[in-house]
Amino acid sequence: MNSKKMVLIGLVLTAFFSSLAVFELIPGLIMAFLLLSVGIAVTYYFALSQMRLESLAGKTILLKAAKEIGKESKAPEISRLLGLWAQRLVKSEAALVWWQGEWVLGDEEFTVWPGLETAREWVRNNREVLVLNRNGGEIFSHPWPSNINSLLGWPLTVADEAAGMLFLLNESKRGYFVPQDSEALEVICQQAVLSLDKANNYQKTEVIYKEMLFSLVNTLDSRFPGFAGHSRRVARVAVLLGSKLGLDEEELRILEYAALLHDAGKVFFLREGIPGKAGELEEMEEESYLPPVEEHPLLGAQILPGEGIFAKMRQGILYHHERYDGSGYPEGLSRTDIPLAARIIAVADLYDALTRLASEEERLEPEAAVNEMKKTMGMLLDPLVVIVLEEVERELDEIT
């Protein structure tokens, strides 16, 4: 029971008992006055206590919402949480989030409404909260949808610009938005802005790092005749296979970087100025020292740190030459003892070798390459990954 209802009920009961005191002719109007005074005092006390509880509960909800939103690092999930909590706080029918030039949350049923586009432009230009109701007539000359009664728009401001917006929509049965509704949104919207801006900056930084890595890997590949672009193609095939196998975003990121670096250990086989020839490391005592080619997965894995996300990348690099029947290297792992990322990279690596690295006489078309790889299922390659490769055969033609 909220505080308003408690006050109303308290006053009604007080008036009722006071009237009984008067009409029953209990001596003295003093008794009626005392009852009235006590009733009002008790009602005020309980109403005030209820208001404090409501205020505390509201602050608790806001803190929980801000904490959940603040923990996220991906824009789609931040937007989803912002929408869910905003709907809960002001009891709206639908939530939509516009961020960095696109709708990242919201049903197309609402995002295609011309009136919403006009409202978005108004919020972006004015950077103010917008509250519109059906009883105010048409919204900027646009008719209201039949199932929408009220609109609330909140600017998500970064560096004095509305980089995004939150819109809440209500059906007729839920009533109208009022300016006070926007007050409840301020905390979670501020937290969402911080999280979305952080996620956006992280994404931009990751793109830069990835392009730098592409350049370094391409430089390494180009030192081996015929290998130019090999690691990048392997990474793209691996990510395609991983997405079809149900890997989540974080797992796909790890897989992509591991695939890009799967041959990084070959850097130790380069002699300065002589492309494609294995050479000595300066710290090696014997000038004739030549690491066996089988060591390149181990050498590549050792380039990366052994903690956190790098530890998972190392597994894909270290074990991509293991074979499903246990005949591979460096540890002779078999079946599911081989990390999934390594099994995927092994398939992508062999596919690129058959279709791109082989000589023109031996090079195979994608369909023929897949058929050859199917013959090795259960021996060299994971059958499930090869089956998925066959399913995405048409998409492989687009990878260059």
Side-chain angles (χ1 to χ4, degrees), residues 30-105:
I30 297 176
M31 180 62 70
F33 177 76
L34 289 174
L35 284 173
L36 181 62
S37 300
V38 171
I40 292 174
V42 171
T43 298
Y44 177 77
Y45 172 78
F46 281 108
L48 184 61
S49 298
Q50 182 67 20
M51 290 176 64
R52 288 173 177 171
L53 288 174
E54 289 174 3
S55 176
L56 180 60
K59 291 178 180 178
T60 301
I61 291 174
L62 285 174
L63 288 174
K64 183 178 180 181
K67 184 177 180 180
E68 284 194 14
I69 294 172
K71 288 193 302 184
E72 288 300 328
S73 59
K74 300 178 180 63
E77 184 61 17
I78 295 170
S79 302
R80 186 187 71 83
L81 287 174
L82 173 60
L84 288 176
W85 280 107
Q87 284 184 263
R88 178 177 175 180
L89 287 169
V90 301
K91 298 180 175 59
S92 70
E93 175 65 24
L96 307 96
V97 177
W98 172 275
W99 182 255
Q100 297 291 341
E102 62 179 342
W103 291 106
V104 293
L105 178 71

Side-chain angles (χ1 to χ4, degrees), residues 113-243:
W113 174 33
L116 185 61
E117 179 64 19
T118 304
R120 186 183 65 78
E121 285 297 317
W122 188 94
V123 173
R124 183 177 68 84
N125 293 332
N126 292 276
R127 299 192 296 279
E128 296 179 4
V129 177
L130 175 67
V131 178
L132 291 170
N133 297 312
R134 180 184 290 274
N135 63 3
E138 296 183 342
I139 171 176
F140 303 112
S141 76
H142 296 290
W144 286 77
S146 59
N147 60 335
I148 295 300
N149 194 47
S150 188
L151 174 150
L152 187 153
W154 184 285
L156 303 175
T157 306
V158 177
D160 293 328
E161 292 187 4
M165 280 144 272
L166 166 69
F167 286 97
L168 298 176
L169 306 175
N170 267 359
E171 286 186 329
S172 300
K173 62 184 180 183
R174 291 185 180 268
Y176 298 122
F177 288 118
V178 294
Q180 289 79 3
D181 287 328
S182 64
E183 297 174 3
L185 300 175
E186 185 172 2
V187 173
I188 63 170
C189 283
Q190 288 178 349
Q191 182 60 63
V193 167
L194 292 175
S195 298
L196 286 167
D197 191 42
K198 182 179 179 181
N200 188 54
N201 290 335
Y202 176 82
Q203 186 177 19
K204 290 180 179 178
T205 302
E206 185 176 25
V207 169
I208 294 173
Y209 286 157
K210 189 180 291 185
E211 288 301 321
M212 291 174 60
L213 183 58
F214 283 157
S215 297
L216 291 172
V217 168
N218 285 339
T219 300
L220 174 61
D221 284 346
S222 66
R223 297 294 298 275
F224 294 87
F227 272 73
H230 168 66
S231 296
R232 192 164 187 167
R233 292 192 301 270
V234 169
R236 288 175 174 171
V237 174
V239 170
L240 176 61
L241 296 175
S243 63

Side-chain angles (χ1 to χ4, degrees), residues 213 216-217 220-221 224 230-231 257-270 295-304 317 320:
L213 183 58
L216 291 172
V217 168
L220 174 61
D221 284 346
F224 294 87
H230 168 66
S231 296
Y257 284 120
L260 277 171
L261 295 169
H262 76 283
D263 277 343
K266 290 182 178 178
V267 70
F268 293 100
F269 294 84
L270 290 173
E295 287 190 12
H296 85 270
L298 177 60
L299 295 171
Q302 290 176 342
I303 293 175
L304 298 180
I317 298 170
H320 76 277

